Amino acid sequence: MIEVFKTTTVEQMEADSDRLHETAEKLGIDTWQDRVKKQTPHCGFGEKGVCCRICSMGPCRITPKSPKGICGATADTIAGRNYLRMVAAGASAHSDHGRECVHKLYDASEDGYYHVTDSAKLLKLAEEWGVPTEGRDLYDIARDVARIGLGEYGKIEGVQNFLSRATEERRKVWKEQEIEPRAIDREVVTAMHMTHMGCTADPEALVRQSLRTGLADGWGGSMAGTEISDILYGTPMPRETEGNLGVLDKDMVNIICHGHDPAVSEMIVLVAESREMQEYARSCGAKGINIAGLCCTANEIAMRHGIKMVGNFLQQENALLTGVVEAIVVDVQCIFPNIGPLAECFHTKFFTTSPIARIPKSEYLELTSHNARDVALKIVRDACENYKNRDESKIFIPEHKHKAAVGYSCEGIKSRLDAVTNSFVDTLDTYKPLIECIKSGVLRGAVAMVGCNNPKVRPDYSHIEIMKRLLENDIIVVATGCAAQAASKAGLLDKRAKVFCGEGLRRVCTLADIPPVLHMGSCVDISRMMLLVTGIAKDWGIDTTQLPAVGCAPEWMSEKAVSIANYVVATGIDVYLGIDPLVSGSEKMMELITQGTRQMVGAGYTINTDPEQLVKAMIDGIEAKRAALGI
Ligand code: BF8
Ligand code: SF4
């Protein structure tokens, strides 16, 4: 019998949103759909990147009649400075998240709340960083590793330790171009200083520092975030879960974890899954506790525990509008301030936990290494007690949800290859079978789909349509962040989605028992993607820039995404953007980011807001890389 597998369409998702929006209207609360209308059209100067408010002689705005700011800064300077400031903010967010993870490792102990889960990964990193391990206590080793990790943020001399993981060719390029990142904090501060009134006016120097600051993120802070999270909470391995609003359960206490740093969500999951709390939930009249993740936190806990994913960035208000959320607990980044007033329209309790993200109309409980379990217990208990306070008349849970296979870390991908082919040829721990598939043309190449949602394009549509088109063309997709969530909502993380693939990719999916879109984690886990392309390039004997692999962020919105785009380009991987990076008011800047960086690091941006044209350009780009390799 032919299997019939259907995705959830964007139209169906939009119908769910519309239905939930009716609830918002009845309650007199706005959602992003309403606010977009009020903010449109956007400020043209801001959109083009030619408004400068760096000093109080301004704000200065560039027009044909006034081509210079009061200090003489041109559109190139102003757009370039604005761009670098985005990178600096993005790199600081990722890297500070990474720093929090390293602090948790520093505080980890046998009898504390945070433990070493992947000791093999810890020992490997200890060896990489020259920390003695022989005969030593695991937690002493952990503390020494953490001390070096924290030192990476402010090291007095030298460059980021993780650079030694890159291909030799990359390291040579970074050195020659003088963009090897030094201390992480220093690159961010340098970016802020360079863009201060009266400093760098040369757009090329600003773009170069953007690459360097980006590298401090991708091959510094983000890589630390991923690496140390794996050590603390376990390296993700393939497992099954579910995604989309239908994962909320009417009969359970629903707790949503939203944000990025797994230190908070891990503790909530641990406590909520305890027998004590499950029983407590039942004593409060529910069948149990249902944790659901939002945004990158969803990716983190789905990858490690199989926790269900309720959705991505523009789904956060929808989740509360179902009326069945007892508590939403957040840490840092991508949290709408509107969650406060929205939660007040329901029985929902809103908990903030980080001094980095203080939000009005929330209950603030700072979560630290020393009180983590107590804070998590209070939140879960309060949520259980809140179950009885639901208002039946406000409840509507859309039914759409899909099965999703997640957990494809580099180790997870290799484990699949080992199971299928490597074990027969007795060479474990290699990407060679994958490389053979690419060389022979069974797979044409790979695309890393990453980034957010953005109402400037039809949300999720670009992600889903681009992914489908790539799959048809035998191009395997790896995904992180809200792009991975879009795939999960549509059903593309379901192994049965191989029906959408070309013949070659379908065969690979069947043999390796994988879905055609591999979920690699959260946005800091784009560092995993950098290690994946580096590992493949090394096993192939070429540089990353030669691989038929590209990155794509069709709906990006955050400053973090601009930082990511910079380190992906600096790693030699072309990036295809579906949203304009706010510098179009400067021809020079547009030239630098689309062409100039190709001379510096061998890769650059292609920008197109039409998903059809964007995917076509990507496929052409991949085929051109193949032709250059003679395959
Ligand atoms: O770091 S993809 S909307 S959740 S920024 Fe935010 Fe964008 Fe989602 Fe994660 Ni990433
Ligand atoms: Fe205007 Fe120059 Fe000040 Fe910017 S730095 S606000 S362009 S005077």
Side-chain angles (χ1 to χ4, degrees):
M1 202 175 85
I2 298 168
E3 189 183 22
V4 182
F5 174 71
K6 282 201 179 122
T7 54
T8 299
T9 63
V10 174
E11 285 75 16
Q12 287 171 314
M13 294 181 203
E14 286 168 346
D16 288 344
S17 283
D18 289 347
R19 170 64 186 79
L20 290 165
H21 192 254
E22 282 171 22
T23 309
E25 270 179 345
K26 264 188 224 148
L27 297 172
I29 180 86
D30 51 281
T31 66
W32 65 265
Q33 291 91 335
D34 306 306
R35 298 186 297 269
V36 165
K37 284 184 197 138
K38 295 195 174 153
Q39 288 295 339
T40 311
H42 295 279
C43 164
F45 297 100
E47 263 191 336
K48 293 195 176 99
V50 293
C51 170
C52 181
R53 41 147 300 178
I54 275 172
C55 89
S56 77
M57 292 194 286
C60 298
R61 302 175 304 179
I62 300 302
T63 65
K65 273 196 192 147
S66 54
K68 291 179 182 175
I70 292 170
C71 66
T74 61
D76 299 338
T77 299
I78 293 172
R81 286 177 180 170
N82 288 338
Y83 179 78
L84 176 52
R85 284 198 165 201
M86 287 177 88
V87 179
S92 70
H94 274 154
S95 299
D96 213 30
H97 160 179
R99 183 188 342 242
E100 279 303 317
C101 297
V102 192
H103 269 296
K104 294 289 180 301
L105 182 67
Y106 188 82
D107 291 341
S109 67
E110 198 87 60
D111 51 3
Y113 296 133
Y114 293 97
H115 306 117
V116 171
T117 301
D118 190 340
S119 53
K121 202 158 195 167
L122 171 67
L123 295 178
K124 222 167 146 197
L125 185 59
E127 193 189 325
E128 187 178 328
W129 286 357
V131 173
T133 55
E134 201 58 34
R136 296 186 69 204
D137 178 83
L138 199 62
Y139 286 91
D140 289 340
I141 300 170
R143 232 169 346 268
D144 283 355
V145 166
R147 210 174 270 124
I148 296 178
L150 291 169
E152 289 296 283
Y153 287 82
K155 68 201 298 181
I156 300 166
E157 54 191 21
V159 297
Q160 284 299 296
N161 281 348
F162 284 133
L163 300 194
S164 64
R165 295 177 167 192
T167 62
E168 263 181 45
E169 295 89 333
R170 270 303 102 190
R171 289 163 65 189
K172 200 161 151 253
V173 168
W174 294 339
K175 199 179 195 62
E176 280 170 8
Q177 294 295 321
E178 296 178 7
I179 55 169
E180 290 172 296
R182 300 156 296 177
I184 299 163
D185 290 351
R186 179 168 186 186
E187 296 309 348
V188 173
V189 169
T190 296
M192 295 308 285
H193 188 177
M194 282 175 77
T195 54
H196 187 272
M197 200 279 156
C199 288
T200 296
D202 171 19
E204 187 179 325
L206 294 165
V207 167
R208 221 174 264 281
Q209 182 60 22
S210 299
L211 295 170
R212 196 176 201 179
T213 311
L215 282 170
D217 171 358
W219 290 82
S222 272
M223 205 169 274
T226 296
E227 196 84 5
I228 304 298
S229 292
D230 285 356
I231 290 171
L232 285 168
Y233 313 118
T235 301
M237 282 300 182
R239 65 176 75 237
E240 297 270 342
T241 180
E242 292 180 331
N244 212 352
L245 290 163
V247 306
L248 294 173
D249 193 322
K250 196 167 184 301
D251 301 322
M252 307 265 263
V253 172
N254 292 299
I255 303 177
I256 290 184
C257 293
H258 179 12
H260 288 77
D261 180 352
V264 178
S265 47
E266 281 283 331
M267 205 48 69
I268 299 281
V269 170
L270 194 79
V271 166
E273 286 183 347
S274 69
R275 177 131 46 103
E276 180 197 351
M277 278 299 112
Q278 291 290 341
E279 270 169 19
Y280 192 62
R282 284 192 285 275
S283 77
C284 293
K287 283 193 177 149
I289 301 171
N290 181 40
I291 306 278
L294 248 174
C295 283
C296 276
T297 284
N299 299 323
E300 298 277 358
I301 48 183
M303 295 268 284
R304 296 199 177 87
H305 302 282
I307 298 292
K308 295 166 190 166
M309 305 177 282
V310 74
N312 45 4
F313 182 60
L314 288 179
Q315 187 111 297
Q316 54 187 295
E317 290 172 308
N318 277 351
L320 295 204
L321 286 166
T322 59
V324 294
V325 177
E326 273 57 59
I328 176 166
V329 45
V330 304
D331 48 87
V332 291
Q333 302 165 18
C334 302
I335 304 143
F336 276 2
N338 204 47
I339 295 295
L342 184 57
E344 277 191 341
C345 297
F346 295 87
H347 70 305
T348 308
K349 285 181 180 282
F350 176 29
F351 294 103
T352 43
T353 59
S354 166
I356 298 290
R358 300 292 306 265
I359 303 173
K361 296 184 186 289
S362 69
E363 185 173 342
Y364 179 58
L365 298 169
E366 185 175 342
L367 184 141
T368 69
S369 301
H370 311 291
N371 70 3
R373 196 178 141 80
D374 299 335
V375 168
L377 263 173
K378 171 168 168 49
I379 291 171
V380 174
R381 218 179 262 137
D382 281 8
C384 291
E385 287 160 12
N386 200 19
Y387 179 75
K388 62 177 184 302
N389 296 327
R390 278 188 196 172
D391 180 341
E392 287 291 327
S393 72
K394 293 179 189 167
I395 294 177
F396 170 74
I397 308 177
E399 63 186 26
H400 289 115
K401 63 176 174 182
H402 277 282
K403 268 200 205 154
V406 298
Y408 295 95
S409 58
C410 294
E411 292 85 342
I413 291 172
K414 276 187 173 163
S415 78
R416 291 313 312 148
L417 294 172
D418 285 350
V420 180
T421 49
N422 293 352
S423 52
F424 300 115
V425 287
D426 216 19
T427 45
L428 295 177
D429 201 28
T430 166
Y431 293 111
K432 288 206 171 115
L434 190 62
I435 295 169
E436 286 313 315
C437 287
I438 298 172
K439 279 187 181 166
S440 65
V442 173
L443 295 181
R444 303 303 294 175
V447 172
M449 294 290 297
V450 306
C452 328
N453 292 132
N454 189 326
K456 280 192 176 164
V457 292
R458 190 176 171 191
D460 288 333
Y461 180 83
S462 294
H463 283 304
I464 294 165
E465 289 308 306
I466 289 174
M467 287 190 216
K468 278 191 181 165
R469 182 67 80 73
L470 294 170
L471 302 183
E472 280 164 26
N473 282 280
D474 288 327
I475 295 170
I476 192 163
V477 173
V478 291
T480 56
C482 291
Q485 296 275 336
S488 112
K489 282 157 58 175
L492 296 177
L493 300 184
D494 188 317
K495 289 178 186 167
R496 291 172 298 172
K498 67 185 174 201
V499 295
F500 298 111
C501 301
E503 205 186 312
L505 178 55
R506 192 161 54 228
R507 213 160 63 229
V508 171
C509 289
T510 306
L511 270 172
D513 189 29
I514 53 171
V517 177
L518 298 179
H519 190 318
M520 288 194 82
S522 63
C523 291
V524 291
D525 293 336
I526 295 171
S527 61
R528 292 190 203 280
M529 292 174 164
M530 296 303 95
L531 294 177
L532 178 67
V533 289
T534 299
I536 294 173
K538 282 183 177 172
D539 283 350
W540 193 325
I542 57 178
D543 186 25
T544 39
T545 196
Q546 294 172 275
L547 290 173
V550 303
C552 177
E555 304 184 20
W556 73 273
M557 64 83 203
S558 96
E559 292 166 312
K560 289 180 285 174
V562 193
S563 175
I564 293 167
N566 271 276
Y567 74 71
V568 174
V569 161
T571 305
I573 308 292
D574 287 328
V575 171
Y576 292 75
L577 299 175
I579 303 281
D580 187 273
L582 308 179
V583 298
S584 64
S586 158
E587 256 179 52
K588 182 69 194 157
M589 274 303 293
M590 286 302 281
E591 194 273 327
L592 276 164
I593 59 175
T594 56
Q595 297 304 325
T597 55
R598 293 179 205 270
Q599 265 80 58
M600 300 176 202
V601 292
Y605 297 162
T606 299
I607 304 159
N608 199 319
T609 51
D610 179 327
E612 287 282 315
Q613 290 174 22
L614 195 66
V615 72
K616 186 173 178 312
M618 249 190 289
I619 295 170
D620 290 349
I622 284 173
E623 290 302 330
K625 295 261 180 194
R626 293 187 63 92
L629 281 166
I631 55 172

